[in-house]
Structure formats: structure tokens, C-alpha cells
Amino acid sequence: MRIGELANQTGLTTKAIRYYEGIGVIPNAEREPNGYRDYDGSAVDRLEFVKDAQAAGLSLGEIEQILSLKDQGESTCGHVLSLLDSHVTDIDRQLGELRHMKARIVQISTRARQMDPASCTDPIRCQTLAITS
Amino acid sequence: MRIGELANQTGLTTKAIRYYEGIGVIPNAEREPNGYRDYDGSAVDRLEFVKDAQAAGLSLGEIEQILSLKDQGESTCGHVLSLLDSHVTDIDRQLGELRHMKARIVQISTRARQMDPASCTDPIRCQTLAITS
DNA sequence: CTTGACATTCCACCTGGCTGGAAGGTTTAT
DNA sequence: ATAAACCTTCCAGCCAGGTGGAATGTCAAG
């Protein structure tokens, strides 16, 4: 299979696939005599794994880490699970930050709306955005 | 006031202040005869506004938009409020995405833990990450 | 007189995940 | 024969919000 068909089967672009090879997420492809990359079916599985892992919030660096362990024959499921756990922690932290930011904006917005619009034309002077807490 | 003192008073770096001037978030500073930038107290207010607006999730582009309207004498508080509203919407969207991602990871993780660890050494083959829904 | 702490400009680099295009070689279809 | 549709490499750029460093200028104190 050539890179175009692999791209079709995975929904990725050829650019992205070459990029993944460049950063080591997928191994260097076999080449046809003319220099074209030649893939077998396992490439599809590997790229699907990459997509799933990205959808789960893992970075390409982390994915590369998992896959290189696997390529060395290491048992990696435990590693994947601990990465997922730390991502859940990270997501919780992001959720907290976002909720905090939302509360702050709502507070600012509510306070600003209670001011007389005629007296509030300059957001610096009337402190539309100043945080009180 | 020179740029170093302005940096001290606002908690920004001199680099960041020059950068803000470069992208138009703050106007070109007056210059002393030796070429040094010379600021008055309003620069502190303006930079505090920038910090508050960033803390509220506005981008420097949006902040520049607000401040250039203000510099043209436009009434901008309403504009600021509508930007804040759209940011709340955006934060809600991000919250939804994060919650969705977390649910997906927890589901994957739970399912993977129920498998026999001895039979699960390759996350591609045993589909540690495959999404079932 | 020189050292150190400021200031200036400009250009490059960083993170992450790619995408675009140039310049060329190969294969396939008409 | 030739055009379209592939493929190759490499270099550049994008988003945001800056940071780092080089080369140079200015100014006050010891």
C-alpha cells in the first residue's frame, strides 16, 4: 500500500503520515524500488492507535514513548494506563481552571451591567474588567 | 518613568511591554532625548487592564481591538461585555469537550483494567485505547 | 576610567501539530 | 506523446504569547 491509500484508509493526510514518521511516532517505512513508501496493514492499526490516543488527550510525544517501548518488546499497557490516569488528573485541573475563569467573568460581567451605561464608556476608567476578589 | 520601572510596577517584563507596543496593544511610547521610552501613570492602568483582560480569557488581539476603539473615543464597555459573553460561551464549550474527553478516558481505563494483565502486553493488539462507543 | 545597570534594535527560537509550496521524479490513463 | 495524478525531499510558515541573545548606546557611581 502506498502513502495515499494509507491516508485514505486512516483519514489522515499524507503530510501528517510523513510527519509522524519524521518524529518517530511510526517507524521508517519500507520503500519500493522507486523510493515510494510501502505499507502493510499493520500501519493502519498503528495509525488508528495514534488517533485514538490523541483523542484521549495524549500528546504525540507520549504516544511515541508508548510505541517505542512496545517496539522494544516491553509490556506497555500498564504504562498506557498510568498515562491515562495522569491525564485524568490533568483534565480535572483544567476543568477547575476553566470553572474559576468562568465564575470570574460572570462576576465581572454582572457587576458591570449594574453600572449606568451612560457613565461607563471607558473600560479602563470605569474598571469594567477590574477583579475585586 | 522608564520601561524598567513600568515593568516593576506592573509585574510584566520589559520584553513583554515592548512586544505589546509592537503589536499595538499599547501605543508607541514617548521618548526621552536619548531614545529611552518614557511612560506616565496611565501606562500602568493600561497594562493592568491588559492583564485583567488576559486573566478573563481575552486574547491580545481582542484586547487591542477594545483599546483601539477606546483610543478612537468610542464607547467600549458594551463591546467588552459582549466579548465577555462570547467567552463564557466558549468556556462552556471547552468544559463540555473536557468532560466528554474525561468520560471517554475513564471508560477506556476501566475496561482495560478488567482485562488479564498477562494477556495484555501490547496496547495496539489488546486495544487498550480503542474507543467502543 | 571603568564597571555595572540600565536602555535600544533586531533576529531567532520556543511549544504542538501539523500544512503549503517549490522543484523534481514516477506511474497511469488517454 | 503527454497530461494528470501520484510520489519524493526540503524549507517555510501558521497559531499565541512571548523569551533569549547579540551588538550597541547611555548614564551614574566609585
Side-chain angles (χ1 to χ4, degrees):
Chain A
M1 181 183 0
R2 308 226 272 228
I3 198 171
E5 201 194 330
L6 181 59
N8 276 339
Q9 286 194 25
T10 56
L12 296 165
T13 63
T14 59
K15 285 277 191 190
I17 294 170
R18 288 193 201 94
Y19 172 71
Y20 290 163
E21 181 178 315
I23 63 172
V25 164
I26 56 175
N28 289 338
E30 301 287 312
R31 299 296 179 127
E32 294 176 15
N34 57 18
Y36 288 12
R37 288 175 178 80
D38 187 19
Y39 298 97
D40 61 14
S42 70
V44 178
D45 295 338
R46 193 163 178 126
L47 288 175
E48 293 294 341
F49 177 83
V50 172
K51 286 172 65 183
D52 288 343
Q54 277 190 300
L58 276 67
S59 70
L60 289 176
E62 288 165 329
I63 296 168
E64 196 227 311
Q65 200 183 326
I66 293 169
L67 290 176
S68 71
L69 278 177
K70 176 190 121 50
D71 291 340
Q72 290 163 27
E74 300 281 334
S75 173
T76 56
C77 289
H79 186 56
V80 172
L81 287 175
S82 78
L83 269 176
L84 290 181
D85 280 348
S86 79
H87 269 278
V88 169
T89 305
D90 194 51
I91 287 172
D92 284 338
R93 190 188 48 71
Q94 288 179 55
L95 282 170
E97 276 177 17
L98 277 179
R99 279 193 275 258
H100 186 70
M101 182 180 289
K102 177 178 172 180
R104 187 160 42 177
I105 295 178
V106 168
Q107 180 203 345
I108 290 163
S109 182
T110 304
R111 188 168 47 70
R113 275 182 227 281
Q114 287 166 355
M115 298 183 71
D116 178 6
S119 71
C120 169
T121 55
D122 177 344
I124 293 181
R125 213 167 48 235
C126 71
Q127 297 189 320
T128 302
L129 280 180
I131 313 286
T132 40
S133 63
Chain B
M1 183 186 351
R2 309 223 272 227
I3 197 170
E5 200 192 330
L6 182 59
N8 276 338
Q9 286 194 26
T10 56
L12 296 165
T13 63
T14 59
K15 285 277 192 189
I17 294 170
R18 290 194 199 95
Y19 172 71
Y20 290 164
E21 181 179 315
I23 64 171
V25 163
I26 55 175
N28 289 339
E30 302 288 311
R31 298 296 178 126
E32 294 177 14
N34 57 17
Y36 288 10
R37 287 174 179 79
D38 187 18
Y39 297 97
D40 61 14
S42 71
V44 178
D45 295 338
R46 193 162 179 125
L47 287 176
E48 292 294 341
F49 178 83
V50 173
K51 286 173 64 184
D52 289 343
Q54 278 190 301
L58 276 67
S59 70
L60 288 176
E62 287 166 330
I63 295 168
E64 196 227 312
Q65 199 182 328
I66 292 169
L67 290 176
S68 70
L69 279 177
K70 175 189 121 51
D71 291 339
Q72 289 163 26
E74 300 279 337
S75 173
T76 55
C77 289
H79 186 56
V80 172
L81 287 175
S82 79
L83 269 176
L84 290 181
D85 280 349
S86 80
H87 269 277
V88 169
T89 305
D90 194 50
I91 287 172
D92 284 339
R93 191 189 47 70
Q94 288 180 53
L95 282 170
E97 275 177 18
L98 278 179
R99 279 193 274 257
H100 186 70
M101 181 181 289
K102 178 178 172 178
R104 186 159 44 177
I105 295 178
V106 167
Q107 181 203 344
I108 290 164
S109 183
T110 305
R111 188 168 46 69
R113 275 182 227 283
Q114 287 165 355
M115 297 183 71
D116 177 7
S119 71
C120 170
T121 55
D122 177 343
I124 293 181
R125 213 166 49 233
C126 71
Q127 299 189 319
T128 303
L129 280 180
I131 313 286
T132 39
S133 63

